Amino acid sequence: MNENSNGTAPQVVANLNFAQSSEMRDFIMRYLKYLPWIIVCFTLSLVIAYIRIRYTVPIYHVQSTLLIKNDVESSAGSKDPRMGELFMAQSTTNLNNEIDVLRSTPVIARVVKDLGLQVSYYNKGSVRSSLLYKDVPFNLQVLQLQDSLNGFGFVIAAIDNQRFTIDKGSTAYSYGVPFKVGNNTCIITRNVGIDLKIFQTRDFYISWQPAIDAARGLAGSIRIAQLNDFASILTLSIETENVALGQDMLNTLMAVYDSLIIEDKNRIAINTMNFIDDRLSSLRDSLGGVEGNLRNFMERNGIFDIEGQSKLYMTGISEGSKDLQTSIVQLNILDWLIEYISKPENTYNAVPTNLGIAEPSLLQLFTEYNKLQVQRETNLKTTTPDNPMIKGLEASLERLRQNMLQALQNVRQANLITRNQLLQQNNQFQGQLKAMPGKSQHELAIQRQEQILQELYYFLLQKKLETSISSASTISNSKVVEPAVGGLLPVSPNHNSLYMTYALIGLIIPIAIIVIIELMSDKVSNRMEIQKATDAPILGEIGHSEDIKTLVVTTNSRRFIAEQFRIIRTNLRYITGKNETPVILVTSSFSGEGKSFISTNMGAVMALAGKKTVVMEFDIRKPKIISGLDLKRKMGITNYIIGSASFDELPVKVEGVDNFYVIPCGPIPPNPAELLLSPRLAELIQYAKRNFEVVILDTAPIGLVSDAINLAAFADCTIYIVRRGHTPRRLLGLVNDLYMNKKLPSLSILLNDVKADGGQYGGYYGGYGYYGYGYNKDGGYFEDGKLEKGLVNRMRKTITRWFG
């Protein structure tokens, strides 16, 4: 028991390995014919990738980082909360707003003007043009423009260091001499420090465009993003073909942004100083008048010290007077602000924000009003007052101004109520002073008025000093963290990615075409498909024959296809067994699968083995064997069945092959199916078995007519022909049904017309061995006396040796 198990297991493993090796070889050999096309497509795709890389303008990535600090943090008094008002800063900075400012057209237009990017220079190459920056051999100056809103461009060809032509014209112009381009007057000067020999050609394209158009074009290429959600650092980047240009653009953009912030803060400080100076001038006049009245009153009435007389009553009045004074100061400031905002000449001036008004709603309106004023003045630098955007800003300013006046009136009304309450309280105390001399009361009133004016005057002087310090120490709230740096390698085209992409395309396209071809093909292509579709055994394979003759198996033939028939003959012995006079039925699914070719050569190879063989032409509807062997027609099967001929008159000797005969079908009858049901058919086959050692029945296709089924009763085995590239795969189901239901005796399949490009020419047959090509004197494989050549054939032979 153990010995049997030990002996069987290695055999099973060997069979599995052999099957796997066979399937692998079948798969490789099937698709090996497509390898040259895959190599061509792959190589062509790499060539296209190289051409694209060679002639595509390289794009480089340039990047910088900018820190945006909060206004309070950027000021000198950031550690003292009271100093925030001194520097007129908000508590936080909105990064999204700053990003929009950096990307705005007016800001980028200033960058364009600072770098002179209104004029662009390109060196025209044979395939593409290159952008020039800094190292430019010419300088264009526009002396007169016909239309400042439209750009223009032209091509110049440098003849030498003194002359050039325009737009391929014949007229030569000199450098430094004005010339006309359309209706625009220009002048080109030569930069002698730049040698023309360093350029690919001497043709250059020069263009001019308005700053606003150039800014719009550049704005789309600049990328600004927040470094992360918790940082106030912005990353500025640009992708350009000229690294130096990209670096200068980002560095200049950050510098322009920095200067804009300082300009805005200084403008607010100047407006505040003007307002304070105007109020101080008015207060000096008022204070001088009050002081003069007090001096005159005291001189006329001889009053020097009445404080001791009214000390008791003034204690109560002084406490209320402090609050009253504060209220009056607030009312005066409110009145002055209402007067300042109401004046038409101050319509587009900023409103002071640091005059001690503690009302939050007013401060918010002042801040928004000042921002719109700054935005209007900034846009007026690059556009006209009639621009719809300016009109919109002015309308917004007018609405805010009305809102501020209304808010000031509301705050003033509240302060009036407070003041009246304080006055009422003071009047109660003053009632106690009625006994005091009227002169003393008048003196106190003058002193109180003087004190109010003095406090207001001192307050404005303090604010003027603070504003002066703020203006002198104004700094930007931005800081350059990392200046612009350009990459050494281009980001586009990416060489590795492009080669990889085109390589994949070069593989995917031919493979996709192969898959489509395979999916659209419904024909049997190899042995593996037969094995998957049916359980019927495969008798062997017959290669493709280029010979115009049907009979390829002759006495001295050593051709490869003849050897294949000899292998079929050997394999057939395992099916017929010890039957001395086997009757072999040959059929197929439909016409054109090589059934008559197989029958003829199977008869010949049996005859060459010394067995007297006859092929009976039972394909009565479409006989081919006699015509294929170039034999003369005579009486045949139909003549015997109808009784018009004897058996001895039927066999026809095949010349060139001993012991080989053919019984023709005879005249084609009108009712072939009924004719094969005649009792004389059995007699005919019995005669054939008695007179011949091997009988081959060449029948009609079983997929079309039932002749083969009728003849199956007389056969010992069946050879079912499947032709590669001709038999539909769906008919393999019919073969499997015939085999499983035993409708044909001992059915086995023979794969016909196997070609070297997909059918393992010279493959294995039924597991009984492998028969390869012979060798010629040069060591090459041969078939029909021809030497196989070419890369695919050599690869096929190598793979065959590996997997065979």
Side-chain angles (χ1 to χ4, degrees), residues 3 30 64 209 292 351 537 541 572 601 712 719 743 768 775:
E3 292 178 359
R30 177 178 178 179
S64 63
Q209 57 182 332
V351 176
E541 300 173 359
L572 195 59
N601 288 281
I719 299 177
K743 295 180 180 180
Y768 296 108
Y775 290 87

Side-chain angles (χ1 to χ4, degrees), residues 277-555:
D277 288 339
D278 182 54
R279 294 299 94 198
L280 285 175
S281 176
S282 175
L283 280 174
R284 278 194 294 269
D285 295 340
S286 300
L287 187 58
V290 171
E291 291 175 347
N293 291 335
L294 178 60
R295 184 174 57 254
N296 294 332
F297 174 78
M298 294 180 68
E299 290 177 355
R300 286 196 307 268
N301 296 281
I303 298 175
F304 299 99
D305 183 15
I306 62 173
E307 185 176 353
Q309 301 174 5
S310 58
K311 185 176 181 180
L312 181 62
Y313 302 107
M314 289 301 298
T315 301
I317 295 175
S318 62
E319 294 178 355
S321 297
K322 292 180 181 178
D323 296 333
L324 181 61
Q325 290 170 5
T326 302
S327 178
I328 294 174
V329 169
Q330 292 285 333
L331 283 172
N332 279 280
I333 293 175
L334 291 171
D335 290 336
W336 290 335
L337 284 173
I338 293 172
E339 178 185 1
Y340 176 82
I341 295 172
S342 300
K343 287 183 179 181
E345 59 267 27
N346 295 326
T347 301
Y348 299 117
N349 290 331
V351 176
T353 61
N354 58 345
L355 297 180
I357 304 297
E359 181 63 28
S361 60
L362 277 176
L363 293 177
Q364 183 177 358
L365 289 173
F366 291 165
T367 302
E368 187 176 359
Y369 184 83
N370 288 338
K371 281 186 177 180
L372 289 178
Q373 291 285 13
V374 172
Q375 187 175 353
R376 177 181 176 272
E377 292 182 12
T378 301
N379 289 322
L380 282 175
K381 294 180 180 181
T382 57
T383 184
T384 61
D386 296 329
N387 191 292
M389 179 178 63
I390 300 301
K391 294 296 184 180
L393 291 173
E394 292 176 354
S396 299
L397 287 170
E398 180 60 25
R399 286 195 299 271
L400 285 174
R401 192 170 69 87
Q402 295 298 329
N403 292 338
M404 288 190 296
L405 289 173
Q406 183 63 42
L408 287 170
Q409 290 291 350
N410 294 337
V411 175
R412 183 178 183 280
Q413 185 64 32
N415 283 332
L416 282 174
I417 294 173
T418 302
R419 189 198 65 175
N420 292 335
Q421 292 176 349
L422 293 172
L423 286 174
Q424 183 179 1
Q425 182 179 359
N426 286 342
N427 289 333
Q428 292 177 357
F429 289 102
Q430 289 175 0
Q432 302 298 328
L433 296 175
K434 288 182 179 179
M436 295 290 295
K439 295 179 180 179
S440 175
Q441 293 180 2
H442 187 64
E443 178 186 11
L444 290 175
I446 295 175
Q447 288 178 346
R448 187 165 52 250
Q449 183 180 7
E450 179 186 15
Q451 186 178 3
I452 291 172
L453 292 176
Q454 285 179 346
E455 288 184 0
L456 182 58
Y457 186 80
Y458 294 148
F459 173 78
L460 290 178
L461 284 177
Q462 180 184 2
K463 289 300 177 181
K464 181 178 181 180
L465 177 61
E466 292 174 353
T467 304
S468 299
I469 296 173
S470 173
S471 177
S473 61
T474 297
I475 59 174
S476 173
N477 65 339
S478 67
K479 178 182 178 182
V480 177
V481 178
E482 185 71 32
V485 178
L488 299 178
L489 298 177
V491 296
S492 175
N494 187 319
H495 293 195
N496 294 335
S497 176
L498 200 62
Y499 275 122
M500 183 66 70
T501 301
Y502 275 84
L504 288 176
I505 293 174
L507 292 175
I508 290 173
I509 290 177
I511 291 174
I513 294 174
I514 293 171
V515 171
I516 292 173
I517 291 174
E518 292 294 327
L519 291 176
M520 294 182 65
S521 173
D522 64 341
K523 308 299 182 183
V524 175
S525 61
N526 56 39
R527 180 193 189 104
M528 187 166 52
E529 291 180 351
I530 300 174
Q531 291 174 333
K532 291 181 179 179
T534 177
D535 294 330
I538 298 177
L539 184 64
E541 300 173 359
I542 298 298
H544 178 75
S545 176
E546 301 289 347
D547 203 326
I548 61 175
K549 294 181 180 182
T550 302
L551 185 61
V552 296
V553 179
T554 58
T555 303

Side-chain angles (χ1 to χ4, degrees), residues 196-234:
L196 293 173
K197 295 180 180 180
I198 66 174
F199 300 99
Q200 295 183 6
T201 65
R202 292 199 173 189
D203 293 334
F204 298 86
Y205 177 73
I206 304 176
S207 65
W208 180 92
Q209 57 182 332
I212 197 69
D213 291 343
R216 291 193 184 103
L218 294 175
S221 61
I222 297 176
R223 300 287 182 266
I224 305 175
Q226 189 176 356
L227 186 62
N228 57 61
D229 295 337
F230 304 100
S232 61
I233 295 178
L234 300 180

Side-chain angles (χ1 to χ4, degrees), residues 619-679:
D619 191 356
I620 299 176
R621 293 172 178 79
K622 195 175 181 181
K624 294 181 180 179
I625 292 180
I626 292 296
S627 59
L629 292 172
D630 291 332
L631 299 177
K632 293 182 179 180
R633 290 193 172 275
K634 54 181 295 188
M635 289 183 292
I637 295 173
T638 56
N639 298 104
Y640 179 84
I641 292 176
I642 63 176
S644 63
S646 63
F647 181 79
D648 295 334
E649 297 177 289
L650 301 182
V652 178
K653 180 71 172 65
V654 179
E655 300 297 333
V657 181
D658 295 336
N659 299 321
F660 187 26
Y661 297 85
V662 175
I663 296 179
C665 71
I668 300 175
N671 55 344
E674 289 75 10
L675 191 66
L676 294 179
L677 296 176
S678 173

